[in-house]
Amino acid sequence: MKAGIIGAGRIGKVHAKNIAMFVPEVEIKTVADPFMNDETEKYLKTTCRVQNVTKDAEDILNDREIEAVLICSSTDTHSKYIIEAAKAGKHIFCEKPVDYDLAKVHEAIDTAKEAGVKLQIGFCRRFDHNHRGVYDMVRAGKAGDVQMIRISSRDPEPPSIDYVKVSGGIFYDMMIHDFDMARFLAGAEVTEVMAAGSVMIDPAIGEAGDVDTAVVMLKFENGIIATIDNSRKAVYGYDQRVEVFGSKGCVRNENDVPNTVILSDECRTSYENTYKIMWDRYTGAFVSEIQAFVDAIVNDKETPVTGIDGLYPVLMAAAATKSLKEGRPVKISEVE
C-alpha cells in the first residue's frame, strides 16, 4: 500500500521512521511540508526510505497511486486536509485534535463518511501496553462496576511559547489525550466538566493566555466520576498513569520506565528514571496505531479510533476551557 504523509515535523518524522522499520505493508511514497528543507529531505530519504518529498500537499492528494494519507501537519490544517483527502478517495489517519472548531470537526467526519473512506484519529495512548492492560482488565470485569477513574499526565518540559500561542491551550493540546483515555476506560459519555488551572511553571504561558497546571473533574452519564491532573513540567520526566476503581477492586498501572533495574547501596535504593522524550515513551503505541489503521483498510473494517472518537474529546476540551474561564461546572450540552 502506498501512502503519503502531510507534515514533516516531529510527529511526521516519527511515523515515517516507524513505518519504514515496523510496517512492511506500507510504503511511504511522498512526504509534503511547506517548510521542507535539505536536512529533512535527507533524513526522510535515507532513514525512512521515502521516495519523494515536496512542499505541496496537492502532490499527494492528486496522486492516484497513494491510497492512504497520514495528516501530521499543524492542527489548524487537520480538518482541511481530512476533507480534501476524503474527496480524493484516500483513507485517512489524522493526528489529534481534528480541529478546535466543532463545526469543522463535524464537517470533516461527515465528509469522510460520505466518501466511504476510513478515518482514524491519532490517540496513541489507547495502544500503549500499560494503558491497554488496564482497559483489558476493566473490560474483563476485574474491577467490577467502575465508580472512579484517576489519570495523571505530566510532561518533562513545557512546549515553546510560540507553540503555546497556537496550541489552543492545555485542554486541547495536552489533556485531550486524557479526555480520550477517560472516555475509553469509562465506556460512556461525559455529561459535565469542572476545571481548575494555574500558572505555576512559566509566567510566559499565562501571558499567552494559557495555564500550565490543571485539574479537571468529569461526570459521566453512567455515574462514573473521573479526575485528571496535568502539569507541563515534571522534573523527573514523563509521568503518565491511570487508575480505575470499582466495586470489585482497583486496576492501575505504574509509570513506564526504560527498564526495571533497581540499584541498592548503603545510601539508597533507586530505580531507573522515566522517559525524557515522548517518542521513546510511546514508540510501541505509535507503531501499533498505524498497524491497526492498515488492518482496518486491508480487512475493510472500522478503525479502532473513529471520527466520533475524535469529536468527543474536543467537546470535553471546549467544556473544560469554558469552565476554567467562568469558574463553574459546564455541561457538554452547553458546547455541543
Side-chain angles (χ1 to χ4, degrees):
M1 180 190 304
K2 294 186 184 298
I5 297 178
I6 299 176
R10 292 180 302 174
I11 191 62
K13 290 175 183 174
V14 166
H15 285 309
K17 182 180 179 181
N18 286 340
I19 288 171
M21 293 179 64
F22 303 114
V23 191
E25 304 93 334
V26 177
E27 177 185 338
I28 300 299
K29 181 178 181 181
T30 306
V31 175
D33 192 299
F35 305 105
M36 185 69 67
N37 56 45
D38 292 342
E39 181 182 353
T40 299
E41 178 177 351
K42 181 180 179 181
Y43 174 83
L44 291 170
K45 287 186 173 180
T46 58
T47 302
C48 308
R49 302 194 297 275
V50 173
Q51 294 181 27
N52 310 300
V53 299
T54 177
K55 291 186 176 183
D56 191 351
E58 292 297 319
D59 293 338
I60 291 175
L61 299 172
N62 293 330
D63 189 334
R64 293 186 178 181
E65 276 195 337
I66 292 177
E67 297 178 53
V69 176
L70 282 71
I71 300 172
C72 305
S73 51
S74 59
T75 297
D76 59 348
T77 66
H78 286 180
S79 60
K80 169 183 180 292
Y81 285 132
I82 288 175
I83 293 167
E84 292 180 2
K87 289 181 177 179
K90 302 186 188 305
H91 302 296
I92 304 154
F93 176 94
C94 183
E95 280 299 331
K96 60 77 192 171
V98 175
D99 203 286
Y100 308 130
D101 185 321
L102 286 164
K104 291 181 179 179
V105 175
H106 281 289
E107 183 183 3
I109 294 170
D110 292 343
T111 303
K113 184 176 181 180
E114 291 165 6
V117 298
K118 307 295 182 187
L119 173 60
Q120 181 170 325
I121 308 304
F123 283 119
C124 64
R125 294 183 192 177
R126 292 189 181 208
F127 300 88
D128 174 68
H129 58 291
N130 292 319
H131 298 338
R132 186 74 194 199
V134 172
Y135 171 85
D136 288 342
M137 280 199 170
V138 170
R139 287 293 169 271
K142 301 298 184 181
D145 296 326
V146 177
Q147 298 165 356
M148 292 188 291
I149 297 169
R150 184 171 63 184
I151 300 174
S152 291
S153 184
R154 302 157 188 171
D155 285 354
E157 291 290 341
S160 69
I161 298 303
D162 286 341
Y163 179 83
V164 170
K165 290 177 180 178
V166 298
S167 69
I170 195 170
F171 300 123
Y172 287 96
D173 166 53
M174 183 177 177
M175 196 178 289
I176 197 161
H177 276 292
D178 304 307
F179 290 145
D180 176 69
M181 182 55 56
R183 178 174 175 264
F184 187 51
L185 293 170
E189 304 302 350
V190 170
T191 58
E192 188 175 275
V193 178
M194 180 66 188
S198 298
V199 179
M200 305 291 290
I201 297 163
D202 186 350
I205 292 177
E207 293 167 8
D210 197 12
V211 296
D212 53 35
T213 307
V215 175
V216 164
M217 184 179 75
L218 308 172
K219 289 185 179 180
F220 287 85
E221 60 189 2
N222 58 3
I224 294 172
I225 298 172
T227 57
I228 302 170
D229 71 79
N230 274 189
S231 172
R232 288 287 196 185
K233 185 175 182 179
V235 296
Y236 50 87
Y238 277 100
D239 184 1
Q240 292 168 358
R241 293 163 284 131
V242 300
E243 176 184 287
V244 179
F245 176 83
S247 60
K248 291 183 178 180
C250 181
V251 182
R252 63 184 175 89
N253 60 29
E254 297 298 333
N255 197 32
D256 209 7
V257 293
N259 61 63
T260 57
V261 172
I262 302 171
L263 169 65
S264 297
D265 58 25
E266 61 182 3
C267 299
R268 68 186 65 82
T269 296
S270 62
Y271 299 80
E272 177 68 42
N273 210 346
T274 58
Y275 286 100
K276 296 295 192 298
I277 302 174
M278 184 176 71
W279 324 118
D280 293 337
R281 168 65 179 83
Y282 283 112
T283 295
F286 285 131
V287 172
S288 294
E289 67 177 351
I290 298 301
Q291 290 173 331
F293 174 57
V294 173
D295 180 57
I297 296 171
V298 171
N299 294 299
D300 191 22
K301 59 186 183 182
E302 188 172 67
T303 59
V305 191
T306 65
I308 295 299
D309 291 324
L311 168 64
Y312 279 100
V314 176
L315 288 169
M316 295 153 74
T321 301
K322 186 176 181 67
S323 173
L324 180 64
K325 289 180 178 178
E326 299 182 6
R328 65 176 181 88
V330 172
K331 294 187 182 299
I332 292 294
S333 58
E334 295 182 53
V335 298
E336 194 168 14

